[in-house]
C-alpha cells in the first residue's frame, strides 16, 4: 500500500449535538443522532449560509467573519433538531389538548416562530459573550491603573485577565456532568476526521485509535480569538474610555477574520511554527473533548458518510483504494494523529 507522506485537510468540519454528531462538507451537512431505542437517525440538508454566493465569502480575513456567523446559525439549528428526539412525552387526554395550544409567541410569528426564537437566543448569547470576554476584562484591568502607570503593561494585564476568564469558563463547563456525553461526541467527531486525514479506512476500530484533538477545532479558534485580541488591543489604543470599549467591539470581526485564517493554515500545514501555534489549542481540547465509546463513533461515521466520500479522498490523497475487506478491521498505524 503506497501512501504519500502528506496531510491535507479533508474539508469536513462538524460539531457535537445531543446524542449525536453534525458533519459539514461544503454546502451539505448531515446530523446523525442515536435515539433512545438505539436507532441511528441521519438528516441531510443543504446550508448555504448568510450572503450565499457573495464574493466577500472568498476574501481572506473577511471570509472568516461569515464562516463564524454561519457556524453559529448551523450549530443552533442542528442542536435544536437533535434535542427534538429527547423531549419529554406529552400528557395524554384532555390535558394534552391544552398543552398543544399555540403560545402567544407562536401566534405572533406563526411558522417563523422557531427561527425568530433562534435569532433572539443567538443575539442574547453574542451580547453576553462580548460583555464577558471583551468588555469585562477591560473594566477589571482598569482598576489596576491606580497602581500601574504603564499603558502597555495594563494592556497585557487585560489580555491575561481575558484568557483567565476564558479558561475558567472552559474548566467550569467541562466539570458539568450533563455535558460529559456531549464532549464524548465531540471527541468522536475529531477522531473521525483525524482517521480520514491520517489515511486510515473509516472503521470503528481505526476511529477509536485516532486522536480526539484536531487543529481546526472551534476550541482552538476561540483561544486564537483571545490571543489575537491581546495583540490588537496592545497596539491599537485610544484615550477616551468610551472609545476604548467601542473599539473592542468594532474589532471583533477583524479578530475573528484573523483567527479563522490561522485555523485554516493549521488545518493544511504541519510545519514547526504551525505546530507551536496549535499546541495551546490542542492542550485545551483535552478539556472540551472526552474519549467516546464505539457506539458514539458509529454515529459519527454515519454522519461523515452522509456528506463525504472518504474512499475517494483516500485514493486521491494517499494513492490507494480501500478494499471492502478492510472495513471489518482495516489496517492501522501505531502512531496517533
Amino acid at each position: 500500500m503506497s501512501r504519500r507522506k502528506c496531510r491535507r485537510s479533508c474539508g469536513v468540519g462538524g460539531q457535537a449535538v445531543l446524542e449525536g454528531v453534525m458533519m459539514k462538507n461544503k454546502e451539505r451537512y448531515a446530523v446523525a443522532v442515536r435515539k433512545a431505542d438505539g436507532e441511528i437517525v441521519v438528516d441531510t440538508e443543504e446550508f448555504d449560509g448568510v450572503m450565499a454566493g457573495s464574493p466577500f465569502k472568498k476574501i481572506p480575513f473577511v471570509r472568516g467573519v461569515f464562516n463564524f456567523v454561519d457556524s453559529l446559525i448551523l450549530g443552533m439549528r442542528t442542536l435544536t433538531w437533535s434535542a427534538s428526539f429527547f423531549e419529554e412525552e406529552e400528557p395524554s387526554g384532555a390535558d394534552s389538548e391544552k398543552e398543544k395550544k399555540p403560545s402567544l409567541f407562536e401566534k405572533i410569528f406563526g411558522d417563523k416562530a422557531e427561527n425568530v426564537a433562534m435569532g433572539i437566543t443567538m443575539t442574547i448569547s453574542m451580547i453576553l459573550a462580548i460583555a464577558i470576554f471583551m468588555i469585562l476584562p477591560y473594566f477589571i484591568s482598569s482598576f489596576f491603573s491606580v497602581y500601574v502607570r504603564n499603558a502597555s503593561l495594563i494592556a497585557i494585564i487585560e489580555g491575561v485577565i481575558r484568557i483567565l476568564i476564558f479558561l475558567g469558563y472552559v474548566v467550569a463547563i467541562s466539570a458539568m456532568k450533563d455535558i460529559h456525553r456531549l464532549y464524548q461526541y465531540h471527541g468522536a467527531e475529531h477522531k473521525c476526521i483525524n482517521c480520514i486525514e491520517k489515511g486510515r479506512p473509516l472503521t470503528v476500530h481505526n476511529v477509536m485509535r485516532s486522536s480526539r484533538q484536531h487543529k481546526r477545532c472551534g476550541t482552538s479558534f476561540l483561544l486564537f480569538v483571545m490571543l489575537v485580541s491581546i495583540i490588537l488591543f496592545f497596539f491599537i489604543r485610544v484615550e477616551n474610555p468610551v472609545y476604548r470599549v467601542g473599539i473592542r467591539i468594532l474589532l471583533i470581526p477583524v479578530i475573528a477574520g484573523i483567527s479563522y485564517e490561522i485555523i485554516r493554515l493549521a488545518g493544511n500545514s504541519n510545519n514547526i511554527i504551525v505546530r507551536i501555534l496549535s499546541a495551546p489549542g490542542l492542550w485545551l481540547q483535552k478539556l472540551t473533548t472526552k474519549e467516546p465509546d464505539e457506539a458514539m463513533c458509529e454515529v459519527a461515521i454515519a454522519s461523515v458518510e452522509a456528506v463525504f466520500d472518504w474512499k475517494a479522498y483516500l485514493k486521491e490523497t494517499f494513492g490507494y483504494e480501500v478494499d471492502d475487506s478492510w472495513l471489518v478491521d482495516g489496517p492501522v498505524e501505531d502512531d496517533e494523529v
Side-chain angles (χ1 to χ4, degrees):
M1 178 173 58
S2 174
R3 296 187 183 184
R4 282 181 272 172
K5 299 298 181 180
C6 66
R7 172 166 180 157
R8 191 193 73 182
S9 170
C10 65
V12 176
Q15 73 166 54
V17 297
L18 295 179
E19 292 300 322
V21 174
M22 182 275 288
M23 291 289 188
K24 185 173 184 293
N25 179 32
K26 298 179 180 178
E27 289 78 32
R28 195 166 180 80
Y29 75 91
V31 191
V33 173
R34 188 179 293 279
K35 297 168 60 178
D37 61 4
E39 178 189 0
I40 298 177
V41 180
V42 181
D43 180 56
T44 306
E45 301 286 347
E46 297 282 339
F47 179 73
D48 296 324
V50 298
M51 296 184 67
S54 171
F56 291 104
K57 299 190 76 170
K58 297 181 180 180
I59 300 176
F61 300 103
V62 175
R63 59 191 174 189
V65 180
F66 294 108
N67 277 277
F68 178 63
V69 174
D70 287 348
S71 66
L72 289 177
I73 296 173
L74 185 57
M76 186 67 68
R77 178 184 298 180
T78 54
L79 275 172
T80 302
W81 185 81
S82 66
S84 66
F85 289 96
F86 305 98
E87 294 176 348
E88 294 183 358
E89 292 185 3
E90 296 183 358
S92 58
D95 291 338
S96 65
E97 296 299 324
K98 298 180 181 179
E99 294 290 339
K100 293 179 181 179
K101 288 184 178 180
S103 64
L104 178 61
F105 189 83
E106 292 173 329
K107 290 179 180 179
I108 295 174
F109 295 102
D111 295 338
K112 297 182 179 180
E114 184 176 339
N115 291 333
V116 173
M118 189 182 302
I120 293 173
T121 302
M122 287 182 55
T123 301
I124 295 174
S125 299
M126 286 295 296
I127 292 173
L128 288 175
I130 292 172
I132 295 172
F133 298 114
M134 289 296 172
I135 308 304
L136 181 60
Y138 164 71
F139 283 109
I140 294 177
S141 66
S142 65
F143 291 113
F144 289 89
S145 60
V146 178
Y147 310 99
V148 180
R149 299 296 181 182
N150 189 298
S152 297
L153 185 55
I154 289 294
I156 294 174
I157 291 174
E158 179 188 345
V160 171
I161 293 172
R162 179 172 292 109
I163 290 180
L164 289 176
I165 291 175
F166 175 65
L167 292 178
Y169 170 79
V170 171
V171 171
I173 291 296
S174 301
M176 296 173 61
K177 294 182 179 180
D178 291 343
I179 64 171
H180 182 83
R181 286 184 65 83
L182 187 70
Y183 281 174
Q184 285 183 289
Y185 277 106
H186 189 192
E189 173 222 330
H190 284 187
K191 282 175 172 285
C192 272
I193 297 175
N194 278 324
C195 178
I196 296 169
E197 293 182 344
K198 189 66 177 181
R200 300 169 177 170
L202 193 62
T203 66
V204 172
H205 181 73
N206 288 348
V207 169
M208 289 292 291
R209 289 178 59 88
S210 298
S211 172
R212 73 173 197 261
Q213 299 163 308
H214 197 282
K215 293 177 182 177
R216 289 189 287 113
C217 176
T219 302
S220 295
F221 171 79
L222 292 176
L223 183 59
F224 278 127
V225 166
M226 300 296 115
L227 297 175
V228 170
S229 69
I230 293 176
I231 297 173
L232 289 185
F233 296 160
F234 182 86
F235 289 104
I236 302 176
R237 305 178 195 170
V238 291
E239 296 298 326
N240 189 298
V242 176
Y243 291 164
R244 288 180 185 176
V245 173
I247 202 167
R248 279 155 176 72
I249 297 174
L250 292 175
L251 283 176
I252 289 175
V254 178
I255 294 170
I258 295 173
S259 301
Y260 175 79
E261 297 303 325
I262 297 174
I263 284 291
R264 185 182 175 92
L265 174 65
N268 291 281
S269 176
N270 200 36
N271 64 54
I272 184 64
I273 296 177
V274 170
R275 289 203 299 270
I276 292 173
L277 289 174
S278 301
L282 295 176
W283 172 82
L284 194 59
Q285 288 175 42
K286 292 183 179 180
L287 295 175
T288 61
T289 63
K290 304 297 180 184
E291 282 296 328
D293 57 31
E294 293 188 353
M296 294 173 176
C297 290
E298 288 176 355
V299 176
I301 290 173
S303 184
V304 171
E305 293 185 328
V307 294
F308 184 68
D309 188 349
W310 58 268
K311 293 181 182 179
Y313 170 83
L314 293 186
K315 181 178 180 180
E316 178 185 353
T317 306
F318 297 92
Y320 71 91
E321 294 189 19
V322 176
D323 189 320
D324 288 341
S325 63
W326 297 352
L327 300 184
V328 177
D329 197 10
V332 295
E333 298 174 16
D334 292 332
D335 61 312
E336 284 197 339
V337 180

